[in-house]
């Protein structure tokens, strides 16, 4: 099946926001085995939306619109779609009640009359009620083309796709499509592709596809079967095969990030972490504390952007700083050990490096990073060359990613 | 003039990346007074790209493509555009030399032959040489339609628009369009819009337009005139008027972020900062050290995610922690004072709050945040309710933004 996405919103054409809805939905459609050939963005303009719909219905089996379902005069998606596909709008009393309740309980005020528009939906449609916002979505089929309408705010759009549109779309395909993502750090996309060449070319269902992400990559394994159980059964040996081929660079399956994996491993083992950060400047702490419940496993850390803080707070010997410089293995080791001590954590990670744009006063090249990890029995240290020639942000992100991988490897007893 | 953006890349249709190029360019076109009516995304597919070009040339004066200029077999933008608009491609020797040099100096290896394709450009085009990547862009006019080709990687796209395409587009409009952005923290978009209602409705050139951003908003003032100088002359009194109306919530003009402003103020005054972070978990340090040259003004900080770290590292009195709890004014004050002392900075900011998802053990509601600022003579503290009901990430971002604004106000001697 072929899908086309149409985003409606003048704010997109003014560049106030990026069309992240298209990314979210495209990724999920791809996992469902539905091909996307076009994304289109139009403003809050009924003529141009109608034109985009006419074009899309000629070339797609599924049209998914995002945005324009709200209560204001410029929210015209439903009206324009109904006009184009020859449908009427009707009031859904139950949806109206839900919107009224949302206003009273979540927003603490009475619903204003303009919100009634949000309960007007096409005749004979499948209603997608919206428990995370006020605008419901819906779907109908006309002349072999399925039209799905989802709200624009990315959080709502993601929720509504995952919990409403997905079920609708799964019914359109004969059978169920299930996919899992293997997250990989330490091998690039092309290396992964080369390693998986044999199963990738051998297989048609299930399938394997690698994707590049910032500082890492992922492999998506997708199977189509009559039931979810059968699809899972097809995927199990394939996932095992991929893990076997790629080895311990696979850091997780269906997880959001490497810090989530690290956090889970720490929790399972009842261990805590702290971080002493020079060039990453708080990025590791920030990523650890992005996760809800971080306080159970992360005790804190020190951002030591000067030698005084390295010496005064972390207790790094000034002689080491003078002899080897701040970006050096002895200093990285002393930072991790000092941090472990003052934060009272089981493990402590430290990062010191040159993020750029300039080299340090000793001429250490941009991208040079030392990462140390201290625990009760030992402190280890790795020197890396991160993100050469790719700018400050890339060096810092790559350093943090490497630090998380080092912690993961330590917790699992894997080779560094 | 009316522009249409066409992004080329299967990775966009697979949802691997969002079309941020369209956002970047749309925002800049809007500032140039050029209207955007459509964004289209197609894959690396010459038929669908040709179709999109045919559609666009009928309704737009300017077509800007992003992506598909690289050296691989699926980079087909130039070929497809030339076919559609009846042009030939020719080899540009000077560009080829630049690409060879880029490979040797930046990537440290010899250019492979497939890269010659990148030096093939349409006959009689304006070449946009690319000093930040290998693929040059270009532009030509055919039948009253201007076609501009820019590289896809967002960093390159932004650079090439700002330093190449902008000059090309400015020549198309009679006169020059100049715009400035006033960045605002502490008033929402609707409040700003209401305050500026009179000048907004009175004016047609220059114009004023407010935009909402995460945790802040901005007002863009745009003027069109024969010369840049005249446009600047028109904007000066308007900018003064806006600043007069909005007051000190305007934190900067044409700046990237509030931390950039804080960093500049610290540098001017020869002062240094440190940060003690509980609920923001390193976000303030991370944002300060995102800026190149941060080490001149930022000494470091402590991420104190546990009471032990607050007491042991920052020296917060345990009696305060027990009596008032970690999320309290006395603890925020002690954190800032302790951080200032151990980091040896002129100012120290501290943040303690409940980021969620749950309240703390004393039942302090999610979003409650205390921010303290300590300097030689005094320590001040503010209590805020940040991002109620908007999730962990929003609470943390709002808290950091408020902390930066507090530092800014202190450095400028403004009311808190």
């Amino acid at each position: 099946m072929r899908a086309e996405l149409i985003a409606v919103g003048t704010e997109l054409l003014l560049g106030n926001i990026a069309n992240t809805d298209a990314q979210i939905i495209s990724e999920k459609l791809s996992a469902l085995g539905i091909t996307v050939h076009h994304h289109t963005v139009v403003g809050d303009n009924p003529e141009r939306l109608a034109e985009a719909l006419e074009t899309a219905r000629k070339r797609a089996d599924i049209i998914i619109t995002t945005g324009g379902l709200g209560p204001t005069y410029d929210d015209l998606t439903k009206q324009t779609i109904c006009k184009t596909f020859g449908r009427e709008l009707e009031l859904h009393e139950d949806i109206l009640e839900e919107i009224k309740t949302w206003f009273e309980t979540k927003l603490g005020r009475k619903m204003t009359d303009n919100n009634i528009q949000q309960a007007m939906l096409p005749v004979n449609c499948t209603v997608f009620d919206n428990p995370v916002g006020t605008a419901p979505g819906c779907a109908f089929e006309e002349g072999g083309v399925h039209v799905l309408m989802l709200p624009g705010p990315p959080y709502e759009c993601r929720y509504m796709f995952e919990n409403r549109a997905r079920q609708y779309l799964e019914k359109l395909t004969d059978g169920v499509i299930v996919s899992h993502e293997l997250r990989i750090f330490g091998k690039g996309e092309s290396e992964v592709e080369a390693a998986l060449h044999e199963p990738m070319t051998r297989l048609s269902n299930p399938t394997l596809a690698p994707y590049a992400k910032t500082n890492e990559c992922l492999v998506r394994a997708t199977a189509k079967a009559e039931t979810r159980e059968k699809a899972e059964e097809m995927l199990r040996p394939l996932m095992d095969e991929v893990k076997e081929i790629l080895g311990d660079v696979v850091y997780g399956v269906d997880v959001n990030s490497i810090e989530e994996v690290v956090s889970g491993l720490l929790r399972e083992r009842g261990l805590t972490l702290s971080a002493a950060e020079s060039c990453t400047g708080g990025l590791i702490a920030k990523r650890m504390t992005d996760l809800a419940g971080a306080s159970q496993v992360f005790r804190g850390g020190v951002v030591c952007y000067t030698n005084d803080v390295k010496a005064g707070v972390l207790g790094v010997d000034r002689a080491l700083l003078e002899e080897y410089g701040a970006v050096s293995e002895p200093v990285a080791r002393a930072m991790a050990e000092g941090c472990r001590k003052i934060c009272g954590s089981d493990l402590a990670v430290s990062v010191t490096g040159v993020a750029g744009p300039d080299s340090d006063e000793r001429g250490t090249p941009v991208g040079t990073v030392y990462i140390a990890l201290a625990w009760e029995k030992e402190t280890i240290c790795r020197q890396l060359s991160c993100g050469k020639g790719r700018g400050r942000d890339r060096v810092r992100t790559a350093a943090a990613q490497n630090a998380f991988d080092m912690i993961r490897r330590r917790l699992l007893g894997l080779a560094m």
Side-chain angles (χ1 to χ4, degrees), chain A:
Chain A
M1 305 216 48
R2 191 178 293 186
E4 174 152 358
L5 310 187
I6 302 177
V8 187
T10 303
E11 68 279 17
L12 291 158
L13 297 180
L14 288 170
N16 292 352
I17 52 167
N19 188 9
T20 50
D21 287 348
Q23 184 191 5
I24 296 166
I25 296 176
S26 296
E27 194 168 11
K28 291 180 186 296
L29 287 174
S30 154
L32 283 171
I34 296 169
T35 312
V36 179
H37 279 180
H38 295 89
H39 295 171
T40 305
V41 180
V42 293
D44 302 312
N45 177 294
E47 289 76 34
R48 284 190 282 274
L49 173 56
E51 194 185 71
L53 289 164
E54 288 293 356
T55 306
R57 75 190 293 187
K58 284 179 207 135
R59 59 193 185 189
D61 310 300
I62 299 162
I63 300 172
I64 302 180
T65 68
T66 50
L69 301 182
T72 65
Y73 72 96
D74 58 359
D75 287 309
L76 293 161
T77 302
K78 284 181 296 187
Q79 292 84 328
T80 310
I81 286 175
C82 281
K83 216 168 158 190
T84 306
F85 287 86
R87 292 233 167 178
E88 295 293 321
L89 284 169
E90 64 181 3
L91 181 69
H92 285 240
E93 294 285 357
D94 50 334
I95 293 288
L96 186 59
E97 279 314 305
E98 278 178 25
I99 298 173
K100 280 182 182 164
T101 309
W102 173 274
F103 267 85
E104 278 154 29
T105 59
K106 298 269 178 168
L107 306 177
R109 54 190 166 91
K110 267 206 160 326
M111 189 197 82
T112 50
D113 280 353
N114 58 345
N115 287 287
I116 296 173
Q117 188 187 307
Q118 296 185 103
M120 299 289 293
L121 294 170
V123 171
N124 285 332
C125 71
T126 302
V127 178
F128 298 155
D129 69 297
N130 180 354
V132 294
T134 57
C138 61
F140 63 75
E141 185 262 316
E142 188 70 53
V145 179
H146 293 270
V147 186
L148 288 81
M149 293 159 241
L150 299 177
Y155 179 74
E156 293 181 41
C157 178
R158 182 188 290 271
Y159 181 93
M160 294 287 278
F161 187 93
E162 206 45 54
N163 299 284
R164 302 289 182 269
R166 172 188 287 280
Q167 287 73 355
Y168 183 93
L169 294 170
E170 277 177 349
K171 280 186 207 143
L172 303 184
T173 54
D174 42 338
V176 176
I177 291 163
V178 176
S179 70
H180 293 299
E181 281 180 9
L182 294 106
R183 301 285 290 251
I184 294 150
F185 177 75
K187 267 199 167 74
E189 188 201 5
S190 56
E191 233 181 315
V192 166
E193 194 160 356
L196 299 179
H197 184 75
E198 193 278 316
M200 278 173 68
T201 45
R202 166 170 44 96
L203 298 165
S204 60
N205 180 29
T207 57
L208 281 180
Y211 297 85
K213 297 260 166 190
T214 311
N215 287 309
E216 55 170 88
C217 65
L218 66 83
V219 171
R220 186 176 292 132
T222 307
K224 192 171 177 178
E226 279 160 55
T227 63
R228 179 165 289 273
E229 292 64 40
K230 283 194 184 158
E232 293 286 8
E233 224 167 90
M234 289 160 77
L235 287 171
R236 218 166 294 128
L238 178 60
M239 305 271 285
D240 289 342
E241 186 182 351
V242 172
K243 286 186 203 164
E244 174 87 30
I245 293 171
L246 296 176
D248 59 25
V249 295
V250 177
Y251 73 73
V253 176
D254 299 331
V255 293
N256 292 307
S257 63
I258 194 163
E259 58 267 31
E260 188 182 296
V261 171
V262 165
S263 189
L265 290 171
L266 288 167
R267 188 165 292 130
E268 279 168 29
R269 285 157 179 72
L271 297 173
T272 58
L273 177 72
S274 65
E277 305 185 61
S278 184
C279 70
T280 47
L283 181 58
I284 292 174
K286 189 245 168 216
R287 285 175 60 174
M288 279 303 290
T289 59
D290 278 342
L291 306 166
S295 59
Q296 288 170 47
V297 295
F298 189 70
R299 292 186 62 86
V302 174
V303 178
C304 45
Y305 231 59
T306 56
N307 282 352
D308 283 351
V309 176
K310 288 183 185 78
V313 181
L314 290 171
V316 176
D317 192 337
R318 287 199 186 265
L320 286 182
L321 288 160
E322 273 152 39
E323 188 173 348
Y324 301 100
V327 181
S328 65
E329 174 163 345
V331 169
R333 286 175 173 272
M335 282 168 60
E337 286 165 9
C339 188
R340 183 171 174 270
K341 203 168 143 190
I342 65 165
C343 290
S345 58
D346 299 300
L347 286 97
V349 70
S350 75
V351 185
T352 179
V354 187
D358 305 314
S359 330
D360 71 359
E361 65 290 348
R362 294 180 183 237
T364 314
V366 172
T368 307
V369 174
Y370 291 87
I371 305 177
L373 184 62
W375 65 96
E376 202 188 345
K377 291 187 188 144
E378 202 184 347
T379 302
I380 55 167
C381 186
R382 269 161 100 183
Q383 185 195 337
L384 300 162
S385 181
C386 290
K388 193 187 169 194
R390 293 186 300 174
R392 192 172 167 81
D393 189 46
R394 295 291 284 274
V395 173
R396 282 153 54 93
T397 318
Q401 196 79 357
N402 273 287
F404 284 122
D405 193 51
M406 206 157 146
I407 304 167
R408 175 183 79 92
R409 288 180 173 275
R410 166 64 204 136
L411 292 170
L412 291 170
L414 300 172
M416 289 288 166

